[in-house]
Amino acid sequence: MNSISMQRDIIVDWQAQHERLFGLHAIKLRHRLAESELFSRQAIGRLIERCPQSHLGLESVSFDGDTPRRIYGELGNSTGLQAIEAIEKGRIWMNIRRIMDWAPEYNELLNEIFAEFEARMSGFKTFKRNIGVLVSSPNAKVPYHADIQGQSLWQISGVKRVFIYPRSDVFMPPQNIEKILLRETNEDVPYRGWFDEFATVFDLHPGEMLTWPLYAPHKVENHDCLNISVTMEHWTQSTWNAYAVHYGNGVLRRTLGLRNTSTQDHGLHVYPKAAAAALWKKLGRQIEGDVVKSRDFRLAPESANGLAALS
């Protein structure tokens, strides 16, 4: 089958209490995406080949020097299936971004999924939805970070261990959220080893998905196997309000030196902070992010670690 029939639910174990928990607590649910041919290894290979270059992210880690650093790569001449073979050998992450923009069958699926969520949760309305696919190596790790919109992670093959940390100022101070929103840093934020004592840990198997609260920090560790996962993002009015408030707080902190500003995502204070955020962007003060200025490697399925350095 090319897509999942609406005759059967995509989420297979939804319970009434999940409506009250969604967006406020980490929830693990079972899903049927792994049954769809849209996510077979062959289909993912074709997706890699169709993906516009600007939407295909490849990362690894270089251990040259004293401190490990992120390095960025390109597909090179590899086919989609060869790319997966290379990733299976190394310590590589591939992010196939914004699939709904250029693959209509995945956009249709994305709409089906959120129609299902909205039918199950009164007043739950979403916009700016996004779907992507992650292909990552055995034992690959994603460091401690936070995201700026509603997130869910859907496992297709392989197993991931996901650490979800409390959504509090101890683990994610407002100043760190502001830095992410203003693109003064990437999504990675300061981490201490003792944080793990307070994490909720999930092993995510094929056919399982996980969602967690907005701005809740998390990290991910693959088991010793290739992982293929689907990521989904969405915005709601409350998500946008939280973004505007934190962004506006960051602007006011940098321009007027204000401290201890409210982070509540409702109330009259949302509107002036949203205006401050809009003005900051209009004036071009936001630091441009997500632009890779150089490529360090290409995928090389014939090599022992799946990559070759670019000269």
Side-chain angles (χ1 to χ4, degrees):
M1 60 183 171
N2 291 326
S3 63
I4 293 178
S5 170
M6 287 295 289
Q7 295 177 353
R8 290 199 288 164
D9 290 339
I10 296 169
I11 298 292
V12 299
D13 58 347
W14 183 269
Q15 303 293 324
Q17 64 267 27
H18 292 141
E19 180 176 2
R20 299 181 64 185
L21 296 170
F22 195 93
L24 300 175
H25 296 272
I27 307 172
K28 184 166 78 167
L29 299 166
R30 291 190 296 114
H31 67 82
R32 296 181 48 240
L33 293 189
E35 301 173 20
S36 170
E37 290 181 4
L38 289 176
F39 299 105
S40 68
R41 190 162 175 144
Q42 291 73 21
I44 299 301
R46 291 191 294 271
L47 204 57
I48 293 168
E49 294 168 1
R50 294 167 63 189
C51 182
Q53 184 176 348
S54 60
H55 287 58
L56 187 67
L58 276 167
E59 292 187 26
S60 188
V61 176
S62 172
F63 293 96
D64 292 340
D66 297 330
T67 305
R69 63 182 180 89
R70 291 190 187 201
I71 58 174
Y72 300 91
E74 61 183 36
L75 183 62
N77 296 321
S78 297
T79 67
L81 288 176
Q82 287 172 337
I84 296 172
E85 179 186 343
I87 293 168
E88 198 164 13
K89 290 182 174 182
R91 192 65 60 88
I92 305 166
W93 301 262
M94 173 182 281
N95 189 357
I96 310 171
R97 304 187 186 100
R98 299 194 62 80
I99 297 173
M100 70 289 175
D101 289 345
W102 45 271
E105 64 273 32
Y106 293 87
N107 185 53
E108 180 181 349
L109 174 63
L110 181 65
N111 290 335
E112 288 181 12
I113 289 169
F114 278 95
E116 191 171 303
F117 279 131
E118 291 181 358
R120 287 170 162 168
M121 292 185 282
S122 177
F124 182 70
K125 301 296 180 185
T126 60
F127 56 95
K128 291 180 67 174
R129 303 164 180 167
N130 188 0
I131 183 171
V133 170
L134 298 174
V135 185
S136 52
S137 300
N139 302 307
K141 298 180 180 181
V142 178
Y144 186 81
H145 70 287
D147 304 299
I148 67 172
Q149 62 281 100
Q151 286 275 338
S152 55
L153 181 64
W154 308 61
Q155 196 68 358
I156 303 299
S157 64
V159 183
K160 290 184 182 300
R161 176 159 291 179
V162 185
F163 297 73
I164 306 292
Y165 300 84
R167 175 60 192 95
S168 77
D169 291 355
V170 174
F171 299 92
M172 181 57 60
Q175 294 88 337
N176 288 348
I177 297 174
E178 294 164 13
K179 289 179 180 179
I180 295 171
L181 299 185
L182 272 69
R183 295 185 178 180
E184 294 175 354
T185 183
N186 57 26
E187 293 172 348
D188 299 349
V189 289
Y191 164 80
R192 302 289 181 267
W194 59 264
F195 287 3
D196 287 0
E197 298 175 32
F198 300 89
T200 303
V201 182
F202 299 87
D203 281 330
L204 207 59
H205 295 82
E208 296 179 336
M209 64 83 72
L210 186 65
T211 184
W212 52 87
L214 183 65
Y215 303 144
H218 50 283
K219 69 176 183 178
V220 183
E221 299 177 353
N222 285 359
H223 285 216
D224 189 21
C225 51
L226 178 80
N227 271 243
I228 298 177
S229 313
V230 175
T231 59
M232 295 187 203
E233 301 171 351
H234 67 274
W235 292 75
T236 64
Q237 186 61 50
S238 63
T239 305
W240 184 90
N241 287 354
Y243 174 91
V245 166
H246 283 284
Y247 199 116
N249 285 348
V251 172
L252 296 173
R253 192 186 305 277
R254 287 154 181 76
T255 55
L256 302 179
L258 296 186
R259 299 290 187 270
N260 301 319
T261 50
S262 172
T263 58
Q264 291 293 318
D265 64 2
H266 57 277
L268 294 177
H269 72 105
V270 171
Y271 301 101
K273 290 179 181 179
L279 180 61
W280 187 264
K281 289 185 176 183
K282 185 176 181 179
L283 293 175
R285 301 295 298 277
Q286 175 172 291
I287 297 171
E288 288 299 324
D290 304 325
V291 177
V292 176
K293 303 249 189 301
S294 63
R295 305 284 175 175
D296 306 284
F297 70 90
R298 64 171 173 81
L299 291 184
E302 71 281 0
S303 73
N305 63 354
L307 55 82
L310 290 173
S311 56

